[in-house]
């Protein structure tokens, strides 16, 4: 959706599958690619509108932490993370809170509920499996605490998720999203 892309895949999925909820976690890539935060927020607003128009309750998740090399296993993702990226990420995160408030929907601020440590981010943005689970747990717990979903289920990942093959991880992912 960044850069003015259309909402086809998101909109088609919502219209065809009629989910009860639509979790919208969006903005980190735009922040690191120097996208104007207002353009990003307009995209999220459009997704919220599409979800609501099709009977889905949007749940907005904030922008995760961004780091250059300090907490990263392999350093800065393709050299994208500049000093302005964190500022843009904060602007997007603040705007997401406002969109959620205006739309009367839930917002989970992962920046305040999780904190990346050394090696938790693979490239300054993307989480390793353990930190990804920590973030997913924080999101699930926040949603459950707010009673957004009547019977929120916290997915249980196997302890050895890092040792799974890509094929096994793909199958696990498909199982989790189908729950």
């Amino acid at each position: 959706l960044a850069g003015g892309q259309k909402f086809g895949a998101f909109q088609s999925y919502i219209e065809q599958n009629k989910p009860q909820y639509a979790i919208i976690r969006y903005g980190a890539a735009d922040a690191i690619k120097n996208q104007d935060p207002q353009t990003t927020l307009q995209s999220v607003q459009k997704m919220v509108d599409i979800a609501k128009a099709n009977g889905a309750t949007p749940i907005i998740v904030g922008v995760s932490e961004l780091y250059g090399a300090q907490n990263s296993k392999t350093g800065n993702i393709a050299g994208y993370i500049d000093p302005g990226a964190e500022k843009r990420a904060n602007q997007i995160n603040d705007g997401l809170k406002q969109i959620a408030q205006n739309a009367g929907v839930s917002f989970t601020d992962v920046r305040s509920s999780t904190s990346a440590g050394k090696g938790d981010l693979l490239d300054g943005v993307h989480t390793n499996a353990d930190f990804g689970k920590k973030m997913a747990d924080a999101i699930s717990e926040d949603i459950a605490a707010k009673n957004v979903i009547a019977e929120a289920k916290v997915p249980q990942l196997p302890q050895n998720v890092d040792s799974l093959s890509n094929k096994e991880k793909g199958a696990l992912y498909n199982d989790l999203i189908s729950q």
Side-chain angles (χ1 to χ4, degrees):
L1 299 175
Q5 294 177 21
K6 298 191 183 213
F7 295 87
F10 178 81
Q11 188 164 358
S12 293
Y13 180 86
I14 296 293
E15 289 173 350
Q16 291 172 10
N17 294 287
K18 300 290 184 198
Q20 194 171 2
Y21 303 96
I23 297 177
I24 301 170
R25 182 169 179 248
Y26 191 79
D30 286 1
I32 64 173
K33 292 181 179 177
N34 202 19
Q35 177 79 23
D36 175 26
Q38 289 307 310
T39 301
T40 301
L41 296 171
Q42 289 168 0
S43 294
V44 172
Q45 182 63 62
K46 179 71 173 166
M47 287 187 280
V48 167
D49 294 343
I50 290 167
K52 287 181 125 184
N54 287 280
T57 300
I59 299 169
I60 300 174
V61 177
V63 178
S64 55
E65 294 179 288
L66 304 177
Y67 290 97
Q70 73 258 26
N71 282 5
S72 173
K73 284 186 178 180
T74 59
N76 190 330
I77 182 170
Y80 284 135
I81 303 176
D82 63 44
E86 189 63 28
K87 179 181 177 186
R88 289 185 298 275
N90 285 329
Q91 291 171 330
I92 292 167
N93 206 55
D94 290 344
L96 294 174
K97 288 179 197 176
Q98 190 64 51
I99 289 171
Q101 184 177 11
N102 292 344
V105 301
S106 177
F107 174 78
T108 298
D109 189 354
V110 293
R111 287 174 166 249
S112 66
S113 59
T114 59
S115 182
K118 187 77 174 162
D120 283 343
L121 302 174
L122 300 175
D123 56 11
V125 177
H126 300 99
T127 67
N128 65 22
D130 289 337
F131 190 66
K133 181 181 182 324
K134 180 179 175 183
M135 190 177 291
D137 288 346
I139 294 166
S140 296
E141 289 166 10
D142 186 62
I143 290 169
K146 293 175 181 171
N147 287 324
V148 174
I149 299 174
E151 295 182 25
K153 295 179 183 178
V154 178
Q156 297 299 313
L157 294 176
Q159 294 294 333
N160 66 337
V161 74
D162 280 329
S163 66
L164 297 176
S165 70
N166 285 341
K167 185 176 181 180
E168 291 168 322
K169 287 177 185 175
L172 175 62
Y173 172 78
N174 288 332
D175 287 345
L176 290 173
I177 63 170
S178 67
Q179 294 179 9

